Amino acid sequence: MKTKTLFVFFFTITLIAAAFAVAVEENKDAAKEENKGAAKIEIPGGYKGKVPFNHEMHQTQLKDCNACHDLFPKAPGAIDDLKAKKTLKKKQVMNKLCIKCHKAEKKAGNKTGPTTCSKCHVK
Ligand code: HEC
Ligand code: HEC
Ligand code: HEC
């Protein structure tokens, strides 16, 4: 009798553990399904020339997508679309996002990105 109770007990524990493992795996899959976009992007930069942008590196460094995507949606060409609609001003992303952060990080003594024109814009 005692052995049977013990068996039922451990059997139940095993079932719960298995269900938990499945739930954790499903969560991982859900995270993987988020569209992270291209690893490398060329942002149009007007007459100054395009701006090669390491999207993946910034995602890993900053962790928070909304650090940038509060300003424009997660869609290809989003910045140009909003500039065309005048919802975003020209150079707004550049000044209020890219350069602002790079300058702040530099001031704090951290590794950071460029703050001079030709280090971002290429022709
Ligand atoms: C440092 C800024 C920054 C961060 C942080 C960032 N993105 Fe982006 N993302 C961009 C830029 C810039 C574009 C290009 C927009 C354009 O083409 O006008 C972009 C475009 C995209 C696109 C559109 C597809 C493409 O390849 O152009 C998707 C999807 C996307 N991002 C998802 C994400 C997700 C998910 C995260 C967080 C894990 C994230 N982004 C974090 C700057 C960022
Ligand atoms: C950290 C990278 C970075 C640096 C440094 C930088 N830019 Fe930009 N620039 C961008 C990005 C990204 C865009 C596109 C988004 C926007 O317009 O905000 C852009 C857009 C532009 C545009 C096009 C605006 C339009 O819509 O027609 C011009 C012109 C420009 N930059 C000039 C400059 C000049 C001049 C400097 C130096 C004083 C400079 N940029 C420094 C990243 C940078
Ligand atoms: C919130 C902070 C933050 C924002 C916003 C941000 N960056 Fe950066 N960027 C960084 C940091 C931190 C690094 C240095 C990472 C490293 O080298 O470890 C970096 C590095 C870079 C580099 C040089 C390294 C490389 O391989 O590309 C470029 C170019 C760059 N950023 C462009 C941009 C542009 C263009 C934008 C705007 C669309 C932008 N960044 C927005 C924090 C930021």
Side-chain angles (χ1 to χ4, degrees):
M1 185 61 194
K2 249 191 174 170
T3 342
K4 197 180 166 194
T5 315
L6 217 60
F7 175 76
V8 169
F9 176 70
F10 281 114
F11 185 71
T12 312
I13 294 281
T14 311
L15 274 184
I16 292 170
F20 204 70
V22 167
V24 167
E25 269 314 306
E26 274 172 358
N27 253 334
K28 271 194 206 151
D29 286 347
K32 243 186 256 160
E33 273 165 28
E34 183 186 27
N35 178 8
K36 296 195 118 189
K40 300 233 159 85
I41 296 174
E42 278 185 349
I43 311 171
Y47 74 84
K48 264 290 176 190
K50 58 187 187 280
V51 180
F53 173 67
N54 193 333
H55 195 212
E56 192 178 37
M57 184 270 279
H58 282 86
Q59 287 175 340
T60 318
Q61 281 275 332
L62 306 180
K63 302 198 171 66
D64 179 18
C65 307
N66 289 330
C68 296
H69 288 293
D70 261 351
L71 212 54
F72 53 90
K74 299 183 185 98
I79 297 172
D80 263 9
D81 284 351
L82 294 184
K83 284 205 287 198
K85 285 183 198 139
K86 310 233 188 277
T87 316
L88 274 180
K89 290 196 208 85
K90 288 178 174 184
K91 303 191 197 175
Q92 186 175 343
V93 170
M94 162 181 135
N95 287 320
K96 297 277 146 67
L97 198 66
C98 319
I99 296 180
K100 192 179 172 198
C101 175
H102 291 173
K103 273 194 178 151
E105 290 293 318
K106 199 174 173 184
K107 211 174 163 197
N110 298 327
K111 206 169 171 217
T112 189
T115 54
T116 48
C117 320
S118 60
K119 291 240 170 74
C120 276
H121 290 274
V122 299
K123 297 228 164 152

